PDB file of all heavy atoms in Angstrom:
ATOM      1  N   VAL Q  27      -1.286   6.454   6.170  1.00 98.00           N
ATOM      2  CA  VAL Q  27      -1.470   5.189   5.586  1.00 98.00           C
ATOM      3  C   VAL Q  27      -2.737   4.488   6.188  1.00 98.00           C
ATOM      4  O   VAL Q  27      -3.409   3.717   5.456  1.00 98.00           O
ATOM      5  CB  VAL Q  27      -0.236   4.267   5.619  1.00 98.00           C
ATOM      6  CG1 VAL Q  27       0.034   3.829   7.014  1.00 98.00           C
ATOM      7  CG2 VAL Q  27      -0.303   3.172   4.683  1.00 98.00           C
ATOM      8  N   GLU Q  28      -3.039   4.705   7.426  1.00 98.00           N
ATOM      9  CA  GLU Q  28      -4.175   4.078   8.007  1.00 98.00           C
ATOM     10  C   GLU Q  28      -5.488   4.622   7.289  1.00 98.00           C
ATOM     11  O   GLU Q  28      -6.541   3.953   7.451  1.00 98.00           O
ATOM     12  CB  GLU Q  28      -4.349   4.436   9.514  1.00 98.00           C
ATOM     13  CG  GLU Q  28      -3.245   3.778  10.354  1.00 98.00           C
ATOM     14  CD  GLU Q  28      -1.944   4.552  10.512  1.00 98.00           C
ATOM     15  OE1 GLU Q  28      -1.780   5.521   9.809  1.00 98.00           O
ATOM     16  OE2 GLU Q  28      -1.108   4.110  11.382  1.00 98.00           O
ATOM     17  N   GLY Q  29      -5.378   5.721   6.647  1.00 98.00           N
ATOM     18  CA  GLY Q  29      -6.560   6.320   6.046  1.00 98.00           C
ATOM     19  C   GLY Q  29      -6.807   5.790   4.586  1.00 98.00           C
ATOM     20  O   GLY Q  29      -7.760   6.136   3.969  1.00 98.00           O
ATOM     21  N   LEU Q  30      -5.979   4.946   4.157  1.00 98.00           N
ATOM     22  CA  LEU Q  30      -6.134   4.402   2.737  1.00 98.00           C
ATOM     23  C   LEU Q  30      -7.190   3.274   2.628  1.00 98.00           C
ATOM     24  O   LEU Q  30      -8.038   3.234   1.776  1.00 98.00           O
ATOM     25  CB  LEU Q  30      -4.849   3.886   2.175  1.00 98.00           C
ATOM     26  CG  LEU Q  30      -3.781   4.957   1.899  1.00 98.00           C
ATOM     27  CD1 LEU Q  30      -2.441   4.239   1.357  1.00 98.00           C
ATOM     28  CD2 LEU Q  30      -4.236   5.920   0.958  1.00 98.00           C
ATOM     29  N   ALA Q  31      -7.080   2.357   3.625  1.00 96.00           N
ATOM     30  CA  ALA Q  31      -8.017   1.200   3.534  1.00 96.00           C
ATOM     31  C   ALA Q  31      -9.416   1.644   4.029  1.00 96.00           C
ATOM     32  O   ALA Q  31      -9.592   2.619   4.729  1.00 96.00           O
ATOM     33  CB  ALA Q  31      -7.496   0.099   4.442  1.00 96.00           C
ATOM     34  N   ASP Q  32     -10.353   0.889   3.571  1.00 93.00           N
ATOM     35  CA  ASP Q  32     -11.749   1.015   4.084  1.00 93.00           C
ATOM     36  C   ASP Q  32     -12.104  -0.066   5.011  1.00 93.00           C
ATOM     37  O   ASP Q  32     -12.463  -1.082   4.542  1.00 93.00           O
ATOM     38  CB  ASP Q  32     -12.725   1.068   2.804  1.00 93.00           C
ATOM     39  CG  ASP Q  32     -14.123   1.350   3.205  1.00 93.00           C
ATOM     40  OD1 ASP Q  32     -14.434   1.773   4.382  1.00 93.00           O
ATOM     41  OD2 ASP Q  32     -15.058   1.086   2.355  1.00 93.00           O
ATOM     42  N   GLY Q  33     -11.861   0.160   6.249  1.00 92.00           N
ATOM     43  CA  GLY Q  33     -11.964  -0.917   7.259  1.00 92.00           C
ATOM     44  C   GLY Q  33     -10.858  -1.919   6.998  1.00 92.00           C
ATOM     45  O   GLY Q  33      -9.713  -1.571   6.954  1.00 92.00           O
ATOM     46  N   ASP Q  34     -11.298  -3.174   6.787  1.00 93.00           N
ATOM     47  CA  ASP Q  34     -10.235  -4.268   6.559  1.00 93.00           C
ATOM     48  C   ASP Q  34     -10.011  -4.419   5.063  1.00 93.00           C
ATOM     49  O   ASP Q  34      -9.198  -5.221   4.663  1.00 93.00           O
ATOM     50  CB  ASP Q  34     -10.804  -5.520   7.050  1.00 93.00           C
ATOM     51  CG  ASP Q  34     -10.822  -5.590   8.619  1.00 93.00           C
ATOM     52  OD1 ASP Q  34     -10.038  -4.904   9.147  1.00 93.00           O
ATOM     53  OD2 ASP Q  34     -11.586  -6.375   9.147  1.00 93.00           O
ATOM     54  N   GLU Q  35     -10.705  -3.628   4.239  1.00 96.00           N
ATOM     55  CA  GLU Q  35     -10.553  -3.672   2.677  1.00 96.00           C
ATOM     56  C   GLU Q  35      -9.471  -2.754   2.299  1.00 96.00           C
ATOM     57  O   GLU Q  35      -9.584  -1.489   2.335  1.00 96.00           O
ATOM     58  CB  GLU Q  35     -11.928  -3.355   2.035  1.00 96.00           C
ATOM     59  CG  GLU Q  35     -11.828  -3.464   0.599  1.00 96.00           C
ATOM     60  CD  GLU Q  35     -11.772  -4.877   0.038  1.00 96.00           C
ATOM     61  OE1 GLU Q  35     -12.283  -5.763   0.774  1.00 96.00           O
ATOM     62  OE2 GLU Q  35     -11.250  -5.045  -1.051  1.00 96.00           O
ATOM     63  N   LEU Q  36      -8.359  -3.323   1.800  1.00 97.00           N
ATOM     64  CA  LEU Q  36      -7.273  -2.506   1.295  1.00 97.00           C
ATOM     65  C   LEU Q  36      -7.623  -1.756   0.016  1.00 97.00           C
ATOM     66  O   LEU Q  36      -8.488  -2.241  -0.725  1.00 97.00           O
ATOM     67  CB  LEU Q  36      -6.030  -3.411   0.954  1.00 97.00           C
ATOM     68  CG  LEU Q  36      -5.403  -4.146   2.109  1.00 97.00           C
ATOM     69  CD1 LEU Q  36      -4.253  -4.991   1.572  1.00 97.00           C
ATOM     70  CD2 LEU Q  36      -4.965  -3.245   3.161  1.00 97.00           C
ATOM     71  N   ASN Q  37      -7.138  -0.533  -0.165  1.00 97.00           N
ATOM     72  CA  ASN Q  37      -7.468   0.208  -1.426  1.00 97.00           C
ATOM     73  C   ASN Q  37      -6.793  -0.349  -2.528  1.00 97.00           C
ATOM     74  O   ASN Q  37      -5.884  -1.341  -2.361  1.00 97.00           O
ATOM     75  CB  ASN Q  37      -7.267   1.706  -1.249  1.00 97.00           C
ATOM     76  CG  ASN Q  37      -5.940   2.134  -1.470  1.00 97.00           C
ATOM     77  OD1 ASN Q  37      -4.937   1.390  -1.468  1.00 97.00           O
ATOM     78  ND2 ASN Q  37      -5.725   3.493  -1.559  1.00 97.00           N
ATOM     79  N   ASP Q  38      -7.077   0.065  -3.731  1.00 97.00           N
ATOM     80  CA  ASP Q  38      -6.549  -0.479  -4.989  1.00 97.00           C
ATOM     81  C   ASP Q  38      -4.998  -0.397  -4.973  1.00 97.00           C
ATOM     82  O   ASP Q  38      -4.333  -1.341  -5.449  1.00 97.00           O
ATOM     83  CB  ASP Q  38      -7.170   0.137  -6.214  1.00 97.00           C
ATOM     84  CG  ASP Q  38      -6.914   1.728  -6.288  1.00 97.00           C
ATOM     85  OD1 ASP Q  38      -6.652   2.268  -5.276  1.00 97.00           O
ATOM     86  OD2 ASP Q  38      -7.196   2.208  -7.351  1.00 97.00           O
ATOM     87  N   LEU Q  39      -4.401   0.692  -4.504  1.00 97.00           N
ATOM     88  CA  LEU Q  39      -2.964   0.807  -4.501  1.00 97.00           C
ATOM     89  C   LEU Q  39      -2.293  -0.126  -3.531  1.00 97.00           C
ATOM     90  O   LEU Q  39      -1.291  -0.746  -3.852  1.00 97.00           O
ATOM     91  CB  LEU Q  39      -2.621   2.268  -4.074  1.00 97.00           C
ATOM     92  CG  LEU Q  39      -1.131   2.737  -4.132  1.00 97.00           C
ATOM     93  CD1 LEU Q  39      -0.525   2.461  -5.459  1.00 97.00           C
ATOM     94  CD2 LEU Q  39      -0.906   4.149  -3.690  1.00 97.00           C
ATOM     95  N   GLN Q  40      -2.904  -0.347  -2.389  1.00 97.00           N
ATOM     96  CA  GLN Q  40      -2.323  -1.257  -1.401  1.00 97.00           C
ATOM     97  C   GLN Q  40      -2.364  -2.774  -2.013  1.00 97.00           C
ATOM     98  O   GLN Q  40      -1.452  -3.501  -1.821  1.00 97.00           O
ATOM     99  CB  GLN Q  40      -3.113  -1.264  -0.040  1.00 97.00           C
ATOM    100  CG  GLN Q  40      -2.883   0.034   0.692  1.00 97.00           C
ATOM    101  CD  GLN Q  40      -3.816   0.201   1.854  1.00 97.00           C
ATOM    102  OE1 GLN Q  40      -5.068   0.167   1.633  1.00 97.00           O
ATOM    103  NE2 GLN Q  40      -3.307   0.460   3.052  1.00 97.00           N
ATOM    104  N   GLN Q  41      -3.514  -3.057  -2.660  1.00 97.00           N
ATOM    105  CA  GLN Q  41      -3.679  -4.368  -3.261  1.00 97.00           C
ATOM    106  C   GLN Q  41      -2.581  -4.576  -4.328  1.00 97.00           C
ATOM    107  O   GLN Q  41      -2.051  -5.668  -4.482  1.00 97.00           O
ATOM    108  CB  GLN Q  41      -5.032  -4.525  -3.843  1.00 97.00           C
ATOM    109  CG  GLN Q  41      -6.073  -4.657  -2.738  1.00 97.00           C
ATOM    110  CD  GLN Q  41      -7.491  -4.729  -3.324  1.00 97.00           C
ATOM    111  OE1 GLN Q  41      -7.752  -5.120  -4.422  1.00 97.00           O
ATOM    112  NE2 GLN Q  41      -8.514  -4.198  -2.510  1.00 97.00           N
ATOM    113  N   ALA Q  42      -2.365  -3.482  -5.152  1.00 98.00           N
ATOM    114  CA  ALA Q  42      -1.429  -3.588  -6.216  1.00 98.00           C
ATOM    115  C   ALA Q  42       0.036  -3.807  -5.673  1.00 98.00           C
ATOM    116  O   ALA Q  42       0.864  -4.534  -6.301  1.00 98.00           O
ATOM    117  CB  ALA Q  42      -1.473  -2.387  -7.119  1.00 98.00           C
ATOM    118  N   PHE Q  43       0.312  -3.122  -4.652  1.00 97.00           N
ATOM    119  CA  PHE Q  43       1.618  -3.301  -4.008  1.00 97.00           C
ATOM    120  C   PHE Q  43       1.846  -4.770  -3.533  1.00 97.00           C
ATOM    121  O   PHE Q  43       2.905  -5.375  -3.808  1.00 97.00           O
ATOM    122  CB  PHE Q  43       1.800  -2.386  -2.757  1.00 97.00           C
ATOM    123  CG  PHE Q  43       2.501  -1.127  -2.966  1.00 97.00           C
ATOM    124  CD1 PHE Q  43       1.993  -0.141  -3.832  1.00 97.00           C
ATOM    125  CD2 PHE Q  43       3.737  -0.802  -2.359  1.00 97.00           C
ATOM    126  CE1 PHE Q  43       2.667   1.064  -4.073  1.00 97.00           C
ATOM    127  CE2 PHE Q  43       4.370   0.395  -2.513  1.00 97.00           C
ATOM    128  CZ  PHE Q  43       3.891   1.327  -3.411  1.00 97.00           C
ATOM    129  N   SER Q  44       0.796  -5.316  -3.001  1.00 96.00           N
ATOM    130  CA  SER Q  44       0.863  -6.779  -2.663  1.00 96.00           C
ATOM    131  C   SER Q  44       0.998  -7.644  -3.894  1.00 96.00           C
ATOM    132  O   SER Q  44       1.874  -8.587  -3.898  1.00 96.00           O
ATOM    133  CB  SER Q  44      -0.419  -7.126  -1.803  1.00 96.00           C
ATOM    134  OG  SER Q  44      -0.336  -8.508  -1.534  1.00 96.00           O
ATOM    135  N   ARG Q  45       0.213  -7.404  -4.876  1.00 97.00           N
ATOM    136  CA  ARG Q  45       0.189  -8.200  -6.147  1.00 97.00           C
ATOM    137  C   ARG Q  45       1.558  -8.229  -6.835  1.00 97.00           C
ATOM    138  O   ARG Q  45       2.052  -9.124  -7.282  1.00 97.00           O
ATOM    139  CB  ARG Q  45      -0.866  -7.729  -7.074  1.00 97.00           C
ATOM    140  CG  ARG Q  45      -1.806  -8.750  -7.619  1.00 97.00           C
ATOM    141  CD  ARG Q  45      -2.887  -8.251  -8.577  1.00 97.00           C
ATOM    142  NE  ARG Q  45      -2.998  -6.825  -8.847  1.00 97.00           N
ATOM    143  CZ  ARG Q  45      -3.867  -5.993  -8.102  1.00 97.00           C
ATOM    144  NH1 ARG Q  45      -4.554  -6.539  -7.095  1.00 97.00           N
ATOM    145  NH2 ARG Q  45      -3.973  -4.750  -8.418  1.00 97.00           N
ATOM    146  N   HIS Q  46       2.158  -7.018  -6.842  1.00 96.00           N
ATOM    147  CA  HIS Q  46       3.441  -6.801  -7.545  1.00 96.00           C
ATOM    148  C   HIS Q  46       4.673  -6.919  -6.726  1.00 96.00           C
ATOM    149  O   HIS Q  46       5.803  -6.645  -7.123  1.00 96.00           O
ATOM    150  CB  HIS Q  46       3.481  -5.394  -8.309  1.00 96.00           C
ATOM    151  CG  HIS Q  46       2.462  -5.426  -9.457  1.00 96.00           C
ATOM    152  ND1 HIS Q  46       2.789  -5.932 -10.690  1.00 96.00           N
ATOM    153  CD2 HIS Q  46       1.199  -4.900  -9.499  1.00 96.00           C
ATOM    154  CE1 HIS Q  46       1.710  -5.695 -11.448  1.00 96.00           C
ATOM    155  NE2 HIS Q  46       0.772  -5.064 -10.782  1.00 96.00           N
ATOM    156  N   HIS Q  47       4.446  -7.433  -5.464  1.00 94.00           N
ATOM    157  CA  HIS Q  47       5.574  -7.582  -4.522  1.00 94.00           C
ATOM    158  C   HIS Q  47       6.285  -6.294  -4.371  1.00 94.00           C
ATOM    159  O   HIS Q  47       7.536  -6.223  -4.319  1.00 94.00           O
ATOM    160  CB  HIS Q  47       6.475  -8.707  -4.902  1.00 94.00           C
ATOM    161  CG  HIS Q  47       5.708  -9.966  -5.178  1.00 94.00           C
ATOM    162  ND1 HIS Q  47       5.183 -10.750  -4.135  1.00 94.00           N
ATOM    163  CD2 HIS Q  47       5.398 -10.619  -6.302  1.00 94.00           C
ATOM    164  CE1 HIS Q  47       4.628 -11.798  -4.640  1.00 94.00           C
ATOM    165  NE2 HIS Q  47       4.719 -11.731  -5.978  1.00 94.00           N
ATOM    166  N   GLY Q  48       5.564  -5.144  -4.193  1.00 93.00           N
ATOM    167  CA  GLY Q  48       6.129  -3.766  -3.998  1.00 93.00           C
ATOM    168  C   GLY Q  48       6.553  -3.566  -2.595  1.00 93.00           C
ATOM    169  O   GLY Q  48       6.725  -2.434  -2.252  1.00 93.00           O
ATOM    170  N   LEU Q  49       6.679  -4.597  -1.802  1.00 91.00           N
ATOM    171  CA  LEU Q  49       7.113  -4.387  -0.441  1.00 91.00           C
ATOM    172  C   LEU Q  49       7.825  -5.721  -0.069  1.00 91.00           C
ATOM    173  O   LEU Q  49       7.583  -6.742  -0.634  1.00 91.00           O
ATOM    174  CB  LEU Q  49       5.898  -4.211   0.498  1.00 91.00           C
ATOM    175  CG  LEU Q  49       4.830  -5.309   0.486  1.00 91.00           C
ATOM    176  CD1 LEU Q  49       4.601  -5.813   1.878  1.00 91.00           C
ATOM    177  CD2 LEU Q  49       3.555  -4.773  -0.080  1.00 91.00           C
ATOM    178  N   GLN Q  50       8.757  -5.542   0.839  1.00 89.00           N
ATOM    179  CA  GLN Q  50       9.405  -6.690   1.329  1.00 89.00           C
ATOM    180  C   GLN Q  50       9.433  -6.678   2.873  1.00 89.00           C
ATOM    181  O   GLN Q  50       8.550  -7.229   3.519  1.00 89.00           O
ATOM    182  CB  GLN Q  50      10.798  -6.741   0.824  1.00 89.00           C
ATOM    183  CG  GLN Q  50      11.403  -8.141   0.928  1.00 89.00           C
ATOM    184  CD  GLN Q  50      12.604  -8.396   0.079  1.00 89.00           C
ATOM    185  OE1 GLN Q  50      13.015  -7.508  -0.859  1.00 89.00           O
ATOM    186  NE2 GLN Q  50      13.242  -9.502   0.148  1.00 89.00           N
ATOM    187  N   CYS Q  51      10.281  -5.896   3.468  1.00 90.00           N
ATOM    188  CA  CYS Q  51      10.211  -5.772   4.969  1.00 90.00           C
ATOM    189  C   CYS Q  51       9.012  -4.947   5.363  1.00 90.00           C
ATOM    190  O   CYS Q  51       8.548  -5.061   6.458  1.00 90.00           O
ATOM    191  CB  CYS Q  51      11.493  -5.237   5.511  1.00 90.00           C
ATOM    192  SG  CYS Q  51      11.763  -3.426   5.398  1.00 90.00           S
ATOM    193  N   GLY Q  52       8.643  -4.000   4.581  1.00 91.00           N
ATOM    194  CA  GLY Q  52       7.443  -3.185   4.776  1.00 91.00           C
ATOM    195  C   GLY Q  52       7.697  -1.877   5.545  1.00 91.00           C
ATOM    196  O   GLY Q  52       6.771  -1.076   5.728  1.00 91.00           O
ATOM    197  N   PHE Q  53       8.907  -1.631   6.012  1.00 94.00           N
ATOM    198  CA  PHE Q  53       9.246  -0.417   6.710  1.00 94.00           C
ATOM    199  C   PHE Q  53       8.960   0.822   5.903  1.00 94.00           C
ATOM    200  O   PHE Q  53       8.399   1.770   6.365  1.00 94.00           O
ATOM    201  CB  PHE Q  53      10.683  -0.409   7.270  1.00 94.00           C
ATOM    202  CG  PHE Q  53      10.913   0.709   8.220  1.00 94.00           C
ATOM    203  CD1 PHE Q  53      10.553   0.573   9.563  1.00 94.00           C
ATOM    204  CD2 PHE Q  53      11.540   1.885   7.784  1.00 94.00           C
ATOM    205  CE1 PHE Q  53      10.701   1.646  10.422  1.00 94.00           C
ATOM    206  CE2 PHE Q  53      11.681   2.937   8.663  1.00 94.00           C
ATOM    207  CZ  PHE Q  53      11.295   2.813   9.986  1.00 94.00           C
ATOM    208  N   CYS Q  54       9.392   0.828   4.638  1.00 95.00           N
ATOM    209  CA  CYS Q  54       9.240   2.048   3.839  1.00 95.00           C
ATOM    210  C   CYS Q  54       7.866   2.158   3.160  1.00 95.00           C
ATOM    211  O   CYS Q  54       7.530   3.135   2.579  1.00 95.00           O
ATOM    212  CB  CYS Q  54      10.350   2.097   2.795  1.00 95.00           C
ATOM    213  SG  CYS Q  54      10.205   0.736   1.548  1.00 95.00           S
ATOM    214  N   THR Q  55       7.127   1.089   3.121  1.00 96.00           N
ATOM    215  CA  THR Q  55       5.860   0.923   2.397  1.00 96.00           C
ATOM    216  C   THR Q  55       4.860   2.046   2.716  1.00 96.00           C
ATOM    217  O   THR Q  55       4.319   2.555   1.738  1.00 96.00           O
ATOM    218  CB  THR Q  55       5.289  -0.482   2.592  1.00 96.00           C
ATOM    219  OG1 THR Q  55       6.226  -1.448   2.247  1.00 96.00           O
ATOM    220  CG2 THR Q  55       4.100  -0.647   1.756  1.00 96.00           C
ATOM    221  N   PRO Q  56       4.607   2.310   3.872  1.00 97.00           N
ATOM    222  CA  PRO Q  56       3.681   3.445   4.170  1.00 97.00           C
ATOM    223  C   PRO Q  56       4.015   4.752   3.467  1.00 97.00           C
ATOM    224  O   PRO Q  56       3.116   5.369   2.836  1.00 97.00           O
ATOM    225  CB  PRO Q  56       3.625   3.612   5.726  1.00 97.00           C
ATOM    226  CG  PRO Q  56       3.986   2.238   6.169  1.00 97.00           C
ATOM    227  CD  PRO Q  56       5.071   1.829   5.202  1.00 97.00           C
ATOM    228  N   GLY Q  57       5.279   5.068   3.497  1.00 97.00           N
ATOM    229  CA  GLY Q  57       5.727   6.346   2.876  1.00 97.00           C
ATOM    230  C   GLY Q  57       5.589   6.275   1.408  1.00 97.00           C
ATOM    231  O   GLY Q  57       5.143   7.252   0.686  1.00 97.00           O
ATOM    232  N   PHE Q  58       5.855   5.084   0.759  1.00 97.00           N
ATOM    233  CA  PHE Q  58       5.722   4.929  -0.669  1.00 97.00           C
ATOM    234  C   PHE Q  58       4.224   5.000  -1.044  1.00 97.00           C
ATOM    235  O   PHE Q  58       3.914   5.657  -2.045  1.00 97.00           O
ATOM    236  CB  PHE Q  58       6.292   3.603  -1.141  1.00 97.00           C
ATOM    237  CG  PHE Q  58       7.742   3.653  -1.459  1.00 97.00           C
ATOM    238  CD1 PHE Q  58       8.711   3.108  -0.584  1.00 97.00           C
ATOM    239  CD2 PHE Q  58       8.184   4.309  -2.662  1.00 97.00           C
ATOM    240  CE1 PHE Q  58      10.013   3.148  -0.913  1.00 97.00           C
ATOM    241  CE2 PHE Q  58       9.498   4.300  -3.039  1.00 97.00           C
ATOM    242  CZ  PHE Q  58      10.427   3.816  -2.133  1.00 97.00           C
ATOM    243  N   LEU Q  59       3.355   4.390  -0.247  1.00 98.00           N
ATOM    244  CA  LEU Q  59       1.889   4.407  -0.521  1.00 98.00           C
ATOM    245  C   LEU Q  59       1.443   5.836  -0.464  1.00 98.00           C
ATOM    246  O   LEU Q  59       0.664   6.221  -1.353  1.00 98.00           O
ATOM    247  CB  LEU Q  59       1.179   3.532   0.526  1.00 98.00           C
ATOM    248  CG  LEU Q  59       1.337   1.996   0.289  1.00 98.00           C
ATOM    249  CD1 LEU Q  59       0.846   1.240   1.551  1.00 98.00           C
ATOM    250  CD2 LEU Q  59       0.559   1.545  -0.931  1.00 98.00           C
ATOM    251  N   MET Q  60       1.862   6.612   0.439  1.00 98.00           N
ATOM    252  CA  MET Q  60       1.334   8.033   0.556  1.00 98.00           C
ATOM    253  C   MET Q  60       1.839   8.857  -0.573  1.00 98.00           C
ATOM    254  O   MET Q  60       1.090   9.663  -1.123  1.00 98.00           O
ATOM    255  CB  MET Q  60       1.596   8.545   1.886  1.00 98.00           C
ATOM    256  CG  MET Q  60       0.951   7.854   3.073  1.00 98.00           C
ATOM    257  SD  MET Q  60      -0.753   7.273   2.830  1.00 98.00           S
ATOM    258  CE  MET Q  60      -1.553   8.931   2.783  1.00 98.00           C
ATOM    259  N   LEU Q  61       3.106   8.749  -0.924  1.00 98.00           N
ATOM    260  CA  LEU Q  61       3.692   9.398  -2.018  1.00 98.00           C
ATOM    261  C   LEU Q  61       2.975   9.063  -3.306  1.00 98.00           C
ATOM    262  O   LEU Q  61       2.645   9.937  -4.096  1.00 98.00           O
ATOM    263  CB  LEU Q  61       5.239   9.065  -2.137  1.00 98.00           C
ATOM    264  CG  LEU Q  61       5.972   9.745  -3.270  1.00 98.00           C
ATOM    265  CD1 LEU Q  61       6.079  11.211  -3.030  1.00 98.00           C
ATOM    266  CD2 LEU Q  61       7.318   9.147  -3.278  1.00 98.00           C
ATOM    267  N   ALA Q  62       2.741   7.802  -3.591  1.00 98.00           N
ATOM    268  CA  ALA Q  62       2.039   7.359  -4.756  1.00 98.00           C
ATOM    269  C   ALA Q  62       0.583   7.844  -4.808  1.00 98.00           C
ATOM    270  O   ALA Q  62       0.126   8.155  -5.807  1.00 98.00           O
ATOM    271  CB  ALA Q  62       2.166   5.812  -4.870  1.00 98.00           C
ATOM    272  N   GLU Q  63      -0.075   7.767  -3.572  1.00 98.00           N
ATOM    273  CA  GLU Q  63      -1.485   8.180  -3.569  1.00 98.00           C
ATOM    274  C   GLU Q  63      -1.522   9.669  -3.928  1.00 98.00           C
ATOM    275  O   GLU Q  63      -2.455  10.065  -4.666  1.00 98.00           O
ATOM    276  CB  GLU Q  63      -2.000   7.961  -2.180  1.00 98.00           C
ATOM    277  CG  GLU Q  63      -3.513   8.130  -2.078  1.00 98.00           C
ATOM    278  CD  GLU Q  63      -4.338   7.145  -2.903  1.00 98.00           C
ATOM    279  OE1 GLU Q  63      -3.940   6.016  -3.074  1.00 98.00           O
ATOM    280  OE2 GLU Q  63      -5.378   7.546  -3.468  1.00 98.00           O
ATOM    281  N   ALA Q  64      -0.567  10.520  -3.558  1.00 98.00           N
ATOM    282  CA  ALA Q  64      -0.606  11.914  -3.917  1.00 98.00           C
ATOM    283  C   ALA Q  64      -0.419  12.006  -5.385  1.00 98.00           C
ATOM    284  O   ALA Q  64      -1.113  12.854  -6.093  1.00 98.00           O
ATOM    285  CB  ALA Q  64       0.384  12.669  -3.159  1.00 98.00           C
TER     286      ALA Q  64
END
């Protein structure tokens, strides 16, 4: 998940997760992001 962002700039998927409230506690979020990225 650390490889998704470009420095401090979140990638489009990370931004969409934030916009759509696709995370709450955030514990599972890295796994979902990587699964979705693939």
Side-chain angles (χ1 to χ4, degrees):
V27 69
E28 289 90 348
L30 292 181
D32 183 12
D34 290 336
E35 182 72 26
L36 298 178
N37 83 346
D38 58 345
L39 183 59
Q40 292 169 307
Q41 291 175 27
F43 263 63
S44 178
R45 230 181 354 270
H46 290 280
H47 307 287
L49 58 124
Q50 199 162 354
C51 81
F53 189 81
C54 65
T55 305
F58 273 106
L59 287 166
M60 299 316 294
L61 180 67
E63 190 63 35

